[in-house]
Each structure stands twice: as C-alpha cells, then as structure tokens.
Amino acid sequence: MKYLFTILFAVVYVSANAQQINKKLEDQIKHKEIMLNECSREGLVEFPEFKASYDANYENYKVDSTTIASISKLMKDKKIKVVLGTWCGDSKYQVPNFLKVVDAAKIDQDKVSFIAVDGAKKAENGLLDGLDIQRVPTFIVTDKKGKEIGRIIEHPKKSLELDLIDILTVKK
C-alpha cells in the first residue's frame, strides 16, 4: 500500500508541475489570444493567427540551395532555440522562412525548440532565464553542451542561411 501511495504521489506531483505545451491565453498587452511557453512546431503552425501568414511565407521563401549542405554538416551536435511571439509580425515572417531552411537542410526536429512569449517578451517557469530576450524572433544556436555560440535577433543581417553559417563556423 505504501508503495502504491508513493507512485500515486509521484504521478500527481509530476503532472502538477509539468509544463503545458502549446499553452494559449489572452495576452493583457496585445489584447488577443497568444501562445505562451514551450510550443511544438505543429502547435505553432496550426495556431490560427500564426497560420494566417505561415503558409504563404513558408511557400514563398526561396532557400539558398548552395548553403544547405554546409548547414546540414555544421548543425551536427548543435541545437537552435527559437524565441518568438505568435502576435509578432517579424516572427510571423522569419519563423516560416527559418523552418523552410531547417526542412531543406534536413535538420532533425529534436534539434529545434520553440518558446512563445507574451507582449512583454516574457514566458513562465524560468524558460527565458539568462537568455536576455529583447526582440523576437531570436534564434539561439547552442553547442552540444548547451552553451550559446550565436544568435540571430529579429531578422538576419545577410540571410538566414548565411547568418547560420557565420554562427556555426565561428571559432571560439
């Protein structure tokens, strides 16, 4: 009985503290429904306000095919965290473009994670602790130890592909 109680307590504790994926709520700054915290790609691209521009932007983006093989090789042992606002025009434009690059480079989906922020560029449960997010979208590239090696903030300087290559080839 004691064993059963311990298991039941553990399940309830984990469930209560589990992060809700694809959380939706009414933003007090933007006065509209947004996504907040961790999101799946599927949840993000199906979110109505985001989907309204996602399909066209993804379709219309022309990937620089000369850089894709390099990106694929350089992404070995790297991850990218995308911090975005489902309410943000730059996020609605850049994230679909980024995902088209990810798809063209055949980057594993588990190497890309998404955190949606509210109108104050905040998330819950310490998800943004230490990330210094000022603008969205922010694409943060990390090495295999989770150390940041570079980021693209709001929009690329050259192109998503060339900026990624610049970040991925920096020697520290």
Side-chain angles (χ1 to χ4, degrees):
M1 185 67 172
K2 182 178 177 183
Y3 181 70
L4 182 61
F5 178 74
T6 303
I7 290 175
L8 181 60
F9 178 76
V11 168
V12 169
Y13 179 80
V14 168
S15 297
N17 290 305
Q19 176 96 14
Q20 181 184 354
I21 304 291
N22 300 324
K23 180 178 181 177
K24 297 170 184 77
L25 59 87
E26 182 75 18
D27 185 88
Q28 300 305 309
I29 294 173
K30 297 297 179 181
H31 304 290
K32 61 171 81 174
E33 186 178 48
I34 62 162
M35 292 183 79
L36 188 68
N37 302 330
E38 292 181 293
C39 304
S40 67
R41 178 177 177 166
E42 296 76 25
L44 182 63
V45 302
E46 293 301 321
F47 185 67
E49 183 171 346
F50 203 78
K51 185 169 180 54
S53 61
Y54 175 86
D55 292 334
N57 287 328
Y58 183 93
E59 183 67 32
N60 292 327
Y61 188 72
K62 304 295 182 229
V63 174
D64 178 359
S65 58
T66 62
T67 62
I68 292 303
S70 296
I71 292 170
S72 295
K73 288 178 192 169
L74 293 167
M75 274 300 295
K76 184 178 184 249
D77 297 328
K78 310 286 187 312
K79 291 189 176 191
I80 301 177
K81 184 175 294 191
V82 181
V83 181
L84 65 115
T86 55
W87 45 267
C88 169
D90 288 325
S91 293
K92 292 177 189 179
Y93 182 73
Q94 295 296 338
V95 172
N97 297 347
F98 168 77
L99 288 172
K100 190 149 185 187
V101 171
V102 165
D103 292 345
K106 296 180 174 47
I107 296 170
D108 291 335
Q109 296 299 312
D110 65 341
K111 291 183 174 253
V112 180
S113 61
F114 303 92
I115 299 174
V117 297
D118 63 15
K121 298 178 193 78
K122 303 290 182 204
E124 299 171 327
N125 303 323
L127 288 172
L128 299 179
D129 288 355
L131 295 182
D132 189 31
I133 301 300
Q134 302 295 319
R135 296 186 172 163
V136 289
T138 298
F139 303 89
I140 302 170
V141 183
T142 59
D143 65 15
K144 63 183 171 185
K145 295 178 182 175
K147 182 180 179 221
E148 181 176 332
I149 59 174
R151 60 175 63 191
I152 299 170
I153 302 170
E154 203 167 25
H155 53 80
K157 293 178 177 125
K158 300 174 192 172
S159 71
L160 284 166
E161 297 90 332
L162 293 175
D163 284 13
L164 280 172
I165 287 175
D166 287 349
I167 291 168
L168 293 167
T169 56
V170 167
K171 302 289 184 225
K172 295 206 174 195

